[in-house]
Amino acid sequence: MDSRDISQFSCKAEAFEASEDIGRNPSEGPTLGDIIAKRFGRRDMLRGSLAVAAITATFGPLALATAEKAKAAAGNGSKASFSFDEVSRGVDRTHHVAKGYKADILIRWGDPVLPGAPAFDPMKQTAAAQKMQFGYNNDYVGYIGLPYGSNNPDHGLLCINHEYTDEEVMFPGVGVEQQEAKFTAMTKELAEIEMAAHGGTVIEVRKTDGKWAVVADSKYNRRITASDTVMRITGPAAGHDRMKTKADPTGTSVIGMINNCAGGITPWGTYVSAEENFNGNFGGELADSHPEAENYKRLGVPGNWYNWAAYHDRFDVSKEPNEANRFGWMVEIDPLDPTSVPKKRTALGRFKHEGAESVVNKDGRVVFYMGDDERFDYVYKFVTEGKFNPNDRAANMDLLDKGTLYVAKYGEDGKGEWLPLVHGQGKLTAENGFNSQADVVIQARKAGDVLGATKMDRPEDVEPNKVTGKVYVMLTNNTRRKADQVNSANPRAENAFGHIVEMTPTDGDHASTTFAWDILVKCGDPSVAAVGATFNPATSPDGWFGMPDNCAVDNQGRLWVATDGNSYKGTKTTDGVWAMETEGDLRGTSKLFFRVPVGAEMCGPVFTPDDKTLFLAVQHPATDNTKDWPEFGKASSFEDPATRWPDFKDGMPPRPSVVVVTKEDGGVIGV
Ligand code: FEO
Ligand code: CA
Ligand code: CA
Ligand code: CA
């Protein structure tokens, strides 16, 4: 299917989109046959584990073997690297963490960030207050030890994205989700609060006597919003005609960032924040004959999910047709200088950016891995031209303006190529509509289309494992892939549960244009044969999951996966964090470590440098799929939410919050 037709969805809508297909079998025999053939044709044959894996895939109920039986099947002498007692899967109003661990609320929507911020009052919220308070829907969380360069595990900065807003549980009296209600209850003031609740937050945090707290009135504390924060546009698209607007005839300055999902901390201690579903914030209509029509259609602009266009012409594409070209970028923020101007780094391309995790390559260049979260879209990387200088922070500050953007092509043979998105190379020429590198980065998706990149099942976080050198790609789901559209990197039709791809750069060189790849796990219930999940049989009935989204890698190189889209109806559990074995005989075994309250999504995960603290972000509690949960059975509203987590006070709405997890004995997490 041409992905141009299917770009209209959001994180707001994605849980619904996923759940409507959960439980339905993928198309019959041939697809499953293909899946098994592809899965076991190569690596598993070599490993001799075909029998075990095939039994799991084909005779699912057998996969519900006890852990002991399964361990025996998985191989003698294999030792789990994760020793915690698993949390049970389930759905209820609060969060759960493994026994022996503490999960404390660090900061909630509306808590003060800047000096003078008023206490949160949900009945009297204003945009002015929101600009000084913690924003909504915390997604990415990054940690930088203080002072910079110290790797201090007990005192640092948290850099947090606020992806989007859920007006129906934020504001009294608006009733249901306003997109469905044509924004009848929305006012300018509410829209201004939404804009102020988007963006990012930097806070100083410190652990004292084993307890983490935000440092009130820290000089580092900062709010970045969609309404106020002026940003500079840098790199190949800066100043291009397509970036110019009435308010900015230079094409180099833009107000705010929107729909910032995941991100990354650079080796030089800046915070890179990924603008994802920015299309939804634009309204109006663009004529099919407009020069940007093809560009915007490919990205689903305008999405009309918010009514900001009613109050701000720049969000109305009929009035300011270039403004949407100024969103969908990677934003680099220097959290050490709260007066610094954030920069939209156009060299990294424009699409629905998910994460920006990086690694210093062996030659000193820095490689950023990135997903484009849309069905049938691509995996990218950016290789800096310059080298990281560990002794001179200032020398690194514009590394993201020069380098090469690549898009991934996964071969059927377990090998892959990175195709350069460079103007003038290959088909990226004027003949195909690319007159400059600015055109290439503004329409990076089209460049990937022209080069024949592999259409993936919604690439989310892409994370290099600094211990093993491998790279993990979270592919969250794609229920619209048809049987005749499968490829070996996306082997399931109607992929409701997603999968994780593991990439191995050639010769351990992250700048290499080639790689090998394999599938770490195909997600979903291993006891339902038609699902075709491939968790290691050592995985317990609590340990499997669907819809991988964010991930983190600890100092031992172990993978932790956070999910978005698990629900009562689909997987009989809320979202959470699962610890996943990636090496040895237990490869593909996962265990549930933490789960969120009903309706929420699990974001964050980031460890402090000593792995003794895990920061998690609980996003949109009470909003997703609450109709399907029998204990509630309806959509949430401000007045009647499925949960009032984390305060559980009458009249207090659910509040997205950052949670800090530590071990009761103060030890390393997961050991
Ligand atoms: Fe905002 Fe792709 O999750
Ligand atoms: Ca995400
Ligand atoms: Ca990550
Ligand atoms: Ca998500």
Side-chain angles (χ1 to χ4, degrees):
M1 182 188 296
D2 187 335
S3 46
R4 264 162 256 223
D5 302 332
I6 46 86
S7 55
Q8 304 269 353
F9 80 99
S10 70
C11 282
K12 280 185 170 222
E14 73 192 4
F16 169 74
E17 295 263 4
S19 70
E20 66 182 350
D21 287 287
I22 287 169
R24 209 206 289 171
N25 287 350
S27 20
E28 309 96 315
T31 313
L32 187 59
D34 284 353
I35 290 163
I36 293 172
K38 278 175 177 157
R39 166 70 185 166
F40 302 122
R42 185 164 45 90
R43 178 175 186 136
D44 298 271
M45 278 296 217
L46 291 173
R47 292 183 156 197
S49 59
L50 177 63
V52 170
I55 284 167
T56 314
T58 314
F59 304 104
L62 289 181
L64 286 178
T66 62
E68 265 112 305
K69 257 201 223 154
K71 268 183 194 166
N76 293 328
S78 55
K79 192 171 180 308
S81 67
F82 299 102
S83 61
F84 61 86
D85 291 336
E86 189 164 31
V87 173
S88 301
R89 65 194 308 112
V91 178
D92 59 27
R93 289 184 168 82
T94 194
H95 65 270
H96 299 267
V97 68
K99 204 167 73 184
Y101 291 82
K102 290 185 291 188
D104 298 322
I105 307 301
L106 181 74
I107 189 167
R108 304 160 294 187
W109 167 49
D111 281 342
V113 171
L114 300 181
F120 179 61
D121 181 344
M123 301 305 288
K124 292 183 188 158
Q125 185 66 332
T126 65
Q130 181 64 77
K131 286 173 188 177
M132 296 191 280
Q133 298 167 332
F134 195 59
Y136 206 75
N137 274 348
N138 32 218
D139 193 302
Y140 175 75
V141 182
Y143 178 87
I144 300 170
L146 283 176
Y148 166 71
S150 68
N151 253 3
N152 190 340
D154 299 326
H155 177 206
L157 299 179
L158 287 187
C159 304
I160 301 153
N161 286 348
H162 301 296
E163 188 182 12
Y164 66 101
T165 47
D166 287 295
E167 66 285 341
E168 73 277 18
V169 287
M170 289 173 74
F171 306 131
V174 305
V176 295
E177 206 172 325
Q178 283 296 294
Q179 190 191 0
E180 290 166 27
K182 307 266 187 261
F183 307 110
T184 44
M186 291 301 286
T187 62
K188 183 166 193 298
E189 178 64 11
L190 295 183
E192 299 297 328
I193 295 170
E194 288 187 317
M195 291 177 70
H198 276 66
T201 288
V202 178
I203 42 172
E204 184 179 349
V205 292
R206 189 192 291 273
K207 186 163 83 171
T208 309
D209 299 328
K211 181 130 180 99
W212 283 91
V214 177
V215 177
D217 299 344
S218 159
K219 66 174 181 181
Y220 296 109
N221 289 0
R222 180 174 189 182
R223 274 303 325 279
I224 290 144
T225 69
S227 39
D228 288 285
T229 312
V230 174
M231 309 198 167
R232 192 176 307 148
I233 298 166
T234 72
H240 191 276
D241 283 349
R242 298 176 72 181
M243 303 292 278
K244 292 174 182 170
T245 63
K246 290 183 200 83
D248 172 31
T250 70
T252 59
S253 177
V254 60
I255 299 169
M257 61 185 197
I258 43 179
N259 254 274
N260 294 71
C261 192
I265 299 295
T266 64
W268 52 96
T270 59
Y271 154 35
V272 182
S273 183
E275 291 185 315
E276 194 191 28
N277 295 305
F278 67 95
N279 58 310
N281 301 72
F282 287 84
E285 259 182 78
L286 200 64
D288 282 348
S289 57
H290 192 279
E292 296 297 350
E294 176 202 44
N295 165 23
Y296 286 2
K297 202 171 177 190
R298 181 73 173 81
L299 287 154
V301 175
N304 285 300
W305 303 338
Y306 296 82
N307 71 333
W308 299 0
Y311 312 112
H312 295 275
D313 286 354
R314 69 187 180 112
F315 289 113
D316 184 333
V317 292
S318 52
K319 293 177 179 161
E320 191 52 273
N322 280 352
E323 184 74 355
N325 276 337
R326 294 139 61 86
F327 292 84
W329 301 105
M330 282 294 186
V331 183
E332 186 177 17
I333 298 157
D334 182 1
L336 297 181
D337 176 3
T339 67
S340 61
V341 175
K343 300 188 174 74
K344 295 203 177 183
R345 300 294 192 181
T346 66
L348 281 73
R350 174 170 166 270
F351 41 89
K352 294 186 181 177
H353 274 288
E354 176 69 30
E357 302 283 5
S358 62
V359 60
V360 179
N361 195 35
K362 54 189 183 181
D363 62 6
R365 290 183 288 170
V366 187
V367 181
F368 287 77
Y369 288 97
M370 305 179 285
D372 180 358
D373 183 1
E374 189 94 64
R375 299 176 180 91
F376 303 103
D377 261 291
Y378 306 132
V379 172
Y380 296 81
K381 75 172 177 181
F382 179 78
V383 182
T384 61
E385 184 182 295
K387 294 180 178 177
F388 171 58
N389 183 340
N391 304 312
D392 183 359
R393 183 169 190 256
N396 303 307
M397 294 305 270
D398 290 318
L399 278 177
L400 290 183
D401 279 344
K402 283 198 180 137
T404 307
L405 180 64
Y406 296 89
V407 66
K409 183 172 185 173
Y410 295 80
E412 294 291 309
D413 55 356
K415 298 203 168 74
E417 279 178 87
W418 287 107
L419 310 172
L421 271 62
V422 176
H423 177 249
Q425 287 189 21
K427 293 182 176 170
L428 302 182
T429 57
E431 265 178 6
N432 291 309
F434 299 101
N435 293 303
S436 64
Q437 186 63 17
D439 287 338
V440 171
V441 293
I442 290 170
Q443 289 187 263
R445 283 184 168 183
K446 180 182 170 185
D449 297 342
V450 165
L451 294 180
T454 302
K455 296 179 186 301
M456 309 297 285
D457 288 344
R458 292 187 53 201
E460 302 257 19
D461 210 355
V462 183
E463 183 121 359
N465 182 328
K466 287 163 194 169
V467 178
T468 64
K470 292 174 181 169
V471 178
Y472 292 96
V473 185
M474 305 296 122
L475 295 157
T476 200
N477 61 50
N478 181 358
T479 51
R480 294 189 188 163
R481 188 178 291 278
K482 303 280 187 273
D484 63 359
Q485 293 174 309
V486 299
N487 55 57
S488 55
N490 301 276
R492 286 190 289 187
E494 298 187 40
N495 180 7
F497 301 100
H499 57 288
I500 300 176
V501 163
E502 178 187 70
M503 299 167 70
T504 306
T506 303
D507 301 326
D509 177 6
H510 288 275
S512 173
T513 54
T514 60
F515 58 89
W517 66 268
D518 199 354
I519 290 179
L520 172 63
V521 66
K522 285 182 271 186
C523 304
D525 187 347
S527 74
V528 178
V531 168
T534 59
F535 286 96
N536 189 303
T539 303
S540 86
D542 290 317
W544 63 269
F545 59 84
M547 295 71 112
D549 186 336
N550 299 115
C551 68
V553 176
D554 65 21
N555 286 318
Q556 298 177 55
R558 303 180 310 172
L559 186 63
W560 299 73
V561 179
T563 63
D564 174 10
N566 291 268
S567 66
Y568 180 84
K569 185 178 162 196
T571 55
K572 294 282 188 277
T573 187
T574 57
D575 284 313
V577 176
W578 277 262
M580 167 70 84
E581 306 280 359
T582 57
E583 303 295 326
D585 290 336
L586 287 174
R587 176 180 162 87
T589 308
S590 69
K591 280 178 81 173
L592 180 52
F593 179 72
F594 180 93
R595 72 175 156 87
V596 298
V598 64
E601 163 184 352
M602 184 85 271
C603 301
V606 67
F607 290 93
T608 48
D610 60 1
D611 286 345
K612 291 181 176 177
T613 299
L614 174 63
F615 292 103
L616 299 173
V618 175
Q619 198 185 58
H620 61 73
T623 66
D624 282 1
N625 298 307
T626 58
K627 279 184 198 154
D628 301 329
W629 183 41
E631 280 190 45
F632 191 66
K634 55 187 180 286
S636 286
S637 63
F638 178 92
E639 290 74 17
D640 187 10
T643 178
R644 293 187 184 277
W645 186 91
D647 301 285
F648 297 107
K649 281 188 191 144
D650 287 348
M652 185 59 83
R655 298 165 80 183
S657 302
V658 174
V659 172
V660 54
V661 175
T662 50
K663 207 169 180 179
E664 279 167 4
D665 68 7
V668 169
I669 289 175
V671 172

